[in-house]
Amino acid sequence: MKKYIEIVDQIDTSTVYAQLSHPHSGGICVFVGAVREFTAQQEVVGLEFETYEKMALKEMEKIADKAIDKWNLQKVVIKHAVGMKNVEEPVVIVGASSAHRSECFEACRFLIDTLKETVPIWKKELFKDKTVWVSAHP
Amino acid sequence: MEVLFFGIAKDIVGASHKVFSTNEHRPNSVGELKQLLIQEYSELAKLSSLAVAVNSEYALDHVPLRDNDEVAVIPPVSGG
């Protein structure tokens, strides 16, 4: 399989190497997004993610296909978690493998940047005294 | 026609979906749906953006809505 695209309850970071490894790939690049403890000096208790899964998977497929075309990738991984996530937990993992390193580095950046722009996933920041939907308001 | 709400839009509307039956006056396009929703729920107008998906594809205002469409209101996304 060339693409591993999933919405999951938990991100398993241990499988990504095997999924991206390929005899024609000399470079494998992976980005993992995790829950950070502080946002604008405020302590975050956790993040809660929800998605419109059917559409999210379609959008993730489009991003993967574009990246495969543009950088001639052998394999692509895009996985995002949903539900409640605590500080330090991984919430998203994207990765690419290619013949040489520059292609997979660039592709990886494109995968995460585009995911953040187009994939219907929403995150709510939970603070001690309030909850905020991220980026909802200007 | 079923309209799904997610994220902050779900909180504003107070429901995860709403059904427009064929009999009642229902919006005929994505633009009409947005207008109708903003009239009823003015907080939606304060969001950074308000997109609509028809059958799980982003759709511009001119796209027509049909009875069997699955329509979703997409507030600003914030994955990652």
Side-chain angles (χ1 to χ4, degrees):
Chain A
M1 193 169 19
K2 200 171 175 92
K3 294 177 280 184
Y4 294 84
I5 291 172
E6 280 183 300
I7 296 288
V8 292
D9 291 326
Q10 273 180 329
I11 299 286
D12 180 357
T13 56
S14 71
T15 54
V16 70
Y17 186 81
Q19 288 176 341
L20 290 175
S21 176
H22 187 278
H24 300 165
S25 292
I28 294 178
C29 189
V30 174
F31 170 84
V32 180
V35 180
R36 187 180 55 232
E37 190 173 20
F38 289 94
T39 192
Q41 282 105 49
Q42 281 186 294
E43 191 177 345
V44 173
V45 178
L47 297 177
E48 195 176 347
F49 291 88
E50 70 170 62
T51 185
Y52 178 16
E53 183 164 345
K54 192 200 303 186
M55 181 173 173
L57 292 170
K58 264 178 156 176
E59 290 296 320
M60 286 151 82
E61 287 276 348
K62 286 182 201 168
I63 297 170
D65 288 342
K66 268 189 204 161
I68 289 167
D69 264 10
K70 181 160 184 189
W71 287 284
N72 196 23
L73 307 173
Q74 267 86 45
K75 299 275 203 81
V76 169
V77 164
I78 309 180
K79 297 179 190 185
H80 204 296
V82 288
M84 181 65 208
K85 297 289 162 254
N86 299 314
V87 173
E88 285 191 65
E89 270 191 84
V91 300
V92 61
I93 187 164
V94 301
S97 60
S98 52
H100 303 283
R101 71 183 179 286
S102 66
E103 287 83 358
C104 62
F105 264 115
E106 281 180 38
C108 222
R109 169 127 218 159
F110 168 83
L111 294 174
I112 186 64
D113 288 354
T114 316
L115 177 148
K116 285 169 94 73
E117 282 170 17
T118 64
V119 179
I121 295 173
W122 298 272
K123 116 179 113 202
K124 193 156 66 173
E125 282 173 335
L126 311 177
F127 299 97
K128 281 183 176 149
D129 54 346
K130 62 175 178 179
T131 64
V132 178
W133 285 106
V134 176
S135 309
H137 293 104
Chain B
M1 189 183 78
E2 190 178 19
V3 181
L4 309 175
F5 299 96
F6 295 96
I8 195 170
K10 185 174 70 182
D11 288 356
I12 291 170
V13 171
S16 60
H17 72 285
K18 197 175 157 84
V19 176
F20 288 91
S21 68
T22 31
N23 306 328
E24 87 185 285
H25 171 71
R26 69 151 180 83
N28 289 309
S29 70
V30 167
E32 273 184 43
L33 171 69
K34 280 193 204 172
Q35 271 185 358
L36 207 109
L37 289 172
I38 285 169
Q39 266 171 27
E40 204 167 336
Y41 309 99
S42 59
E43 289 294 309
L44 290 175
K46 296 179 185 164
L47 300 178
S48 314
S49 66
L50 191 66
V52 167
V54 178
N55 301 321
S56 60
E57 294 284 348
Y58 284 109
L60 297 174
D61 284 358
H62 65 82
V63 172
L65 298 178
R66 297 182 183 86
D67 281 338
N68 296 326
D69 285 340
E70 180 179 289
V71 181
V73 173
I74 313 280
V77 300
S78 53

